Amino acid sequence: MQNMNNTQYFRVEKEPELAVSDVLTIVYKALREKGYNPVNQIVGYIMSGDPTYITSHNNARSLIMKVERDELVEEVLRAYIRNSNWE
C-alpha cells in the first residue's frame, strides 16, 4: 500500500512541434492525395479560418489548426521571397 503522505508525480510528454513549413508540406500532400487543388484549399482555409477546407486525411486538418493562420501566411511569403532571390 502506498504512503498517502507522499506526493505522486504525473508528467505528460510534449509532442515534438513541427515547423510551419513541415505542416504545410504534410497538408499539401494530403490534399493532393485526396484529389483537391492544394493551393485553392489552403488559401480558402487561410482566408476564412474554416477548417473544412482541409482534408482530415493523414491528420492534415488537425495539424493545420495547431498553427496560427498568420504564421502560415508568413511562411508562404518567406518562401516566396527566398525563391525570388529578393534577399
Side-chain angles (χ1 to χ4, degrees), residues 2 5 9-10 12 14 19 25 29 35-36 38 41 43 79-80:
Q2 293 182 352
N5 293 325
Y9 291 98
F10 182 78
V12 176
K14 257 181 93 174
T25 299
K29 288 179 180 179
Y36 296 107
Q41 297 305 114
V43 168
Y80 181 81

Side-chain angles (χ1 to χ4, degrees), residues 48-82:
S48 70
D50 183 354
T52 60
Y53 279 97
I54 306 301
T55 181
S56 58
H57 178 65
N58 288 345
N59 208 29
R61 184 179 297 157
S62 178
L63 284 174
I64 203 164
M65 289 171 55
K66 292 180 181 179
V67 179
E68 296 292 331
R69 289 183 293 151
D70 64 317
E71 291 178 277
L72 296 170
V73 173
E74 288 175 18
E75 182 60 33
V76 171
L77 184 56
R78 269 200 276 315
Y80 181 81
I81 290 169
R82 193 170 43 248

